[in-house]
Amino acid sequence: MKWIFAFFYHMMMFAVILFSLFHPFMLFDYMKEALKYEVPQSATPFFVISFFMLWIYIAMKSEFLGKPYRKITIFLPLLQMLVYTAIALNVGLMLLNKWAEDGAYSKWVAIVLTIAGVIAVRLLMSLLYWKYPLVRKSDGR
């Protein structure tokens, strides 16, 4: 029974890894289409990104389920950064959609707000990793 759960979990993590790797590229394409055709594009709902964040959290906290990701140590930090990047791009796409749908502001203001939104989320991610670094500094021992 334990191996069935582990198999399901690892297949789900594989799907999370694949989606997280390709998701930012999809969002860039959606942003380009929104700017080119001036038509709103579908953004990824935040509950989907939250679901992926839950799977990453489980992999970080569980000894058994996180074993493969501790062997290949780059996976968890990579997934975290990709999810944060997806959040930043989703915020930017939402701002572009607000321009394309409602015409609330001009195209250049939408582009500047999108860039500012992405930069703000990236700065928050930098602050997070500054406060909780991925690699702890050694004390010289």
Side-chain angles (χ1 to χ4, degrees):
M1 183 67 177
K2 188 176 182 180
W3 68 270
I4 293 173
F5 178 70
F7 177 76
F8 170 73
Y9 176 79
H10 292 300
M11 286 296 108
M12 191 63 183
M13 264 320 270
F14 183 70
V16 168
I17 290 169
L18 283 180
F19 183 79
S20 296
L21 284 174
F22 294 114
H23 189 240
F25 298 111
M26 293 176 359
L27 287 174
F28 276 125
D29 192 44
Y30 293 160
M31 292 169 111
K32 184 180 78 172
E33 288 179 8
L35 287 170
K36 184 177 180 181
Y37 300 119
E38 299 182 3
V39 175
Q41 300 293 318
S42 61
T44 307
F46 281 106
F47 73 87
V48 173
I49 296 174
S50 300
F51 177 72
F52 290 143
M53 291 174 78
L54 173 69
W55 282 100
I56 294 169
Y57 178 77
I58 290 171
M60 287 174 24
K61 293 299 180 182
S62 172
E63 186 68 33
F64 174 71
L65 297 174
K67 194 177 294 185
Y69 310 102
R70 285 180 185 73
K71 289 183 181 179
I72 305 173
T73 57
I74 191 68
F75 270 152
L76 287 176
L78 176 68
L79 287 176
Q80 289 173 354
M81 289 182 197
L82 286 172
V83 165
Y84 296 143
T85 302
I87 291 171
L89 293 175
N90 241 2
V91 167
L93 186 59
M94 286 174 36
L95 291 168
L96 281 178
N97 283 341
K98 189 71 171 164
W99 158 74
E101 187 174 349
D102 298 335
Y105 30 81
S106 70
K107 186 176 189 175
W108 290 107
V109 172
I111 292 171
V112 169
L113 285 176
T114 299
I115 292 171
V118 170
I119 289 173
V121 173
R122 296 296 290 194
L123 285 174
L124 289 173
M125 184 176 77
S126 297
L127 180 66
L128 174 74
Y129 284 128
W130 175 70
K131 190 168 182 162
Y132 303 104
L134 295 174
V135 177
R136 304 282 181 207
K137 293 180 182 178
S138 64
D139 57 354
R141 293 184 199 176

